Amino acid sequence: MVTLQDIQAARERLRTALRPTPCPASDYFTEKTDCAVVYFKLENLQRTGAFKERGALNKLLTLTEDEKRRGVIAASAGNHAQGVAYHARRLGIRATIVMPERTPLIKVTRTRDDYGARVVLKGANFDEAYAEALRIQAAESLVFVHPFNDPHVIAGQGTLGLELLEQCPDLELVVVPVGGGGLISGVAVALKQTNPRIQVVGVQASTIASMKASLDAGKRTELTSAGTTIADGIAVKIPGELTFEHVRKYVDAVVTVDEEEIAAAILMLLEQEKSVAEGAGATGLAALVNGRIPQAKGKRVAIIIGGGNIDMNVISRIIERGLVKAGRLVQLEVRLPDRPGMLARLTTQIAELRANVVDLHHDRAFSKAGLGEATVEVMLETTGHAHIQELMTALESQGWQVART
């Protein structure tokens, strides 16, 4: 088991290479929740965009000269890959990274093009990539750098816990994203061995909550029918042997959040905190704002934003869906008489009601409208659900049929 002394030693190794990340209080989320204070530990501001380089670098710094000459290999959904690749290049160590085929493009290109690692894409998830990495390791006699089930990696991640204690000395509860369990293991050891009264709560995506399933079963449990998640960084089908024991000993609870809640949390962080988080990094906020952590009420809470390496296309889709849910983007289908001037009349009324036309499609041939009628599909920017209702009422007052699509 990793000890507080191991984590303190790791911090000394990393001190000159990694700067502490900020941990500001959030006025907005403190006001919107029942917490005394909400802090965000911004690991998305690390050089490689995630906390993973803490553990990766600590492991690399403990290698022997022979191990450095042989080179290293890792399996990762992206963030561990970048941490290993970046610091291996900096230390002059050859690195091979196996990544799942669906890894976001930004993580693949940074690992390969920016940080110089050999990248192998294999498998639909971390576990399949991990199996391929083990095969390559055996064939090429490389040193394996595990993303979570390694005491040096756990100790490196635990340095985040020591920073939290210094930045927020009156901390009462910490919320941590959980995949294989390396981060929460290290953080929990650092916190609990310093101040056992601090509560540690882990958060997983409900579609692949292997740590929670293992804790519920009392033993490591592999999910044979795990689903997909936008929190790809924590999509692990079975926790590590070492991390499971740490979580069972030090962590107070593990909860889950669904995909819509994760997406909404990404949007909230972007809009309210001006902070970009990937799916895994946003799970802690998703759990807090959706009432999954009732023990946070009245407490000083830190939420770890584990990473910010999210594909821009995913952000675009999340923003659009968030705008739809908030009533700030709507698509209406309007059936009106197919006569000259009707389309102009429709767009004029929309403008008078202060809505902005984003897209418009005028259909005669393929709609279900009767002869002498046309269907117009119009996408609008609006100010909210009340504004949408005002628009629909006004258009219906013209005798037109209006429906949301």
Side-chain angles (χ1 to χ4, degrees):
M1 299 286 283
V2 173
T3 67
L4 179 60
Q5 290 69 35
D6 295 327
I7 297 171
Q8 290 168 334
R11 192 172 192 196
E12 289 305 310
R13 291 189 198 99
L14 306 184
R15 192 177 293 277
T16 59
L18 297 181
R19 294 186 299 271
T21 53
C23 191
S26 168
D27 293 336
Y28 179 85
F29 286 104
T30 297
E31 292 170 2
K32 294 296 182 181
T33 64
D34 293 327
C35 302
V37 183
V38 174
Y39 300 96
F40 287 116
K41 180 62 170 164
L42 300 178
E43 286 295 290
N44 53 343
L45 298 182
Q46 288 284 2
R47 172 64 179 82
T48 60
F51 73 90
K52 284 286 191 176
E53 60 182 276
R54 294 174 180 269
L57 179 55
N58 191 50
K59 176 67 175 180
L60 293 174
L61 291 174
T62 62
L63 297 180
T64 65
E65 291 303 316
D66 176 64
E67 289 172 328
K68 292 177 183 177
R69 282 192 297 270
R70 284 157 51 195
V72 298
I73 186 168
S76 168
N79 289 334
H80 179 64
Q82 292 179 80
V84 172
Y86 172 68
H87 287 290
R89 185 189 65 176
R90 196 174 59 80
L91 296 170
I93 301 170
R94 183 168 49 93
T96 299
I97 311 294
V98 184
M99 308 174 84
E101 293 167 359
R102 295 180 181 176
T103 299
L105 181 61
I106 186 175
K107 297 182 180 181
V108 176
T109 56
R110 283 182 179 171
T111 303
R112 181 186 58 213
D113 301 336
D114 295 350
Y115 305 141
R118 174 174 62 138
V119 172
V120 178
L121 297 177
K122 184 71 173 181
N125 52 45
F126 165 78
D127 299 276
E128 293 178 12
Y130 176 67
E132 176 66 10
L134 291 178
R135 187 193 67 77
I136 296 173
Q137 179 206 15
E140 301 182 14
S141 299
L142 303 175
V143 178
F144 198 88
V145 182
H146 201 284
F148 50 84
N149 199 50
D150 181 290
H152 294 299
V153 170
I154 292 172
Q157 319 301 29
T159 60
L160 191 159
L162 296 182
E163 286 180 22
L164 278 174
L165 290 167
E166 293 174 356
Q167 293 168 323
C168 313
D170 53 0
L171 202 57
E172 296 174 285
L173 188 146
V174 178
V175 186
V176 190
V178 180
L183 175 62
I184 197 169
S185 294
V187 169
V189 170
L191 297 177
K192 292 288 190 176
Q193 290 196 12
T194 303
N195 181 357
R197 292 188 299 277
I198 297 175
Q199 296 183 58
V200 180
V201 177
V203 185
Q204 293 200 288
S206 59
T207 56
I208 188 163
S210 59
M211 185 66 79
K212 188 175 190 316
S214 297
L215 291 172
D216 291 345
K219 60 181 181 180
R220 290 173 65 240
T221 301
E222 182 173 4
L223 301 179
T224 57
S225 58
T228 58
T229 176
I230 60 172
D232 56 282
I234 54 174
V236 178
K237 294 171 70 175
I238 184 170
E241 301 95 333
L242 190 57
T243 56
F244 176 66
E245 293 304 323
H246 283 81
V247 170
R248 185 157 60 172
K249 180 175 181 180
Y250 292 108
V251 174
D252 296 280
V254 175
V255 301
T256 63
V257 289
D258 64 35
E259 296 302 290
E260 289 296 327
E261 291 167 339
I262 296 171
I266 292 171
L267 187 58
M268 282 188 283
L269 283 166
L270 189 61
E271 189 168 34
Q272 301 298 336
E273 297 298 315
K274 311 302 180 282
S275 185
V276 177
E278 61 191 86
T283 55
L285 178 61
L288 183 66
V289 299
N290 287 285
R292 301 292 193 277
I293 313 175
Q295 59 269 48
K297 183 176 181 180
K299 291 188 171 61
R300 296 178 178 273
V301 177
I303 299 174
I304 297 175
I305 307 300
N309 294 318
I310 185 169
D311 190 283
M312 292 300 103
N313 291 319
V314 174
I315 283 188
S316 176
R317 291 195 294 270
I318 287 171
I319 290 173
E320 287 189 346
R321 289 181 65 175
L323 292 173
V324 171
K325 289 182 70 174
R328 292 159 59 187
L329 190 67
V330 67
Q331 184 164 288
L332 300 179
E333 183 181 273
V334 185
R335 190 178 298 184
L336 42 71
D338 188 14
R339 296 199 305 267
M342 288 296 103
L343 184 57
R345 188 171 163 186
L346 171 63
T347 55
T348 297
Q349 185 150 25
I350 289 171
E352 289 174 350
L353 290 163
R354 310 173 315 283
N356 186 42
V357 176
V358 178
D359 192 23
L360 184 146
H361 179 66
H362 188 223
D363 186 10
R364 294 185 182 91
F366 297 99
S367 74
K368 296 179 181 179
L371 291 174
E373 292 183 321
T375 298
V376 177
E377 287 188 349
V378 58
M379 183 185 298
L380 304 171
E381 287 179 339
T382 54
T383 60
H385 293 290
H387 191 195
I388 293 171
Q389 189 57 52
E390 180 187 358
L391 276 163
M392 294 179 68
T393 300
L395 297 177
E396 287 167 350
S397 71
Q398 302 294 318
W400 301 335
Q401 295 183 43
V402 184
R404 293 179 71 164
T405 59

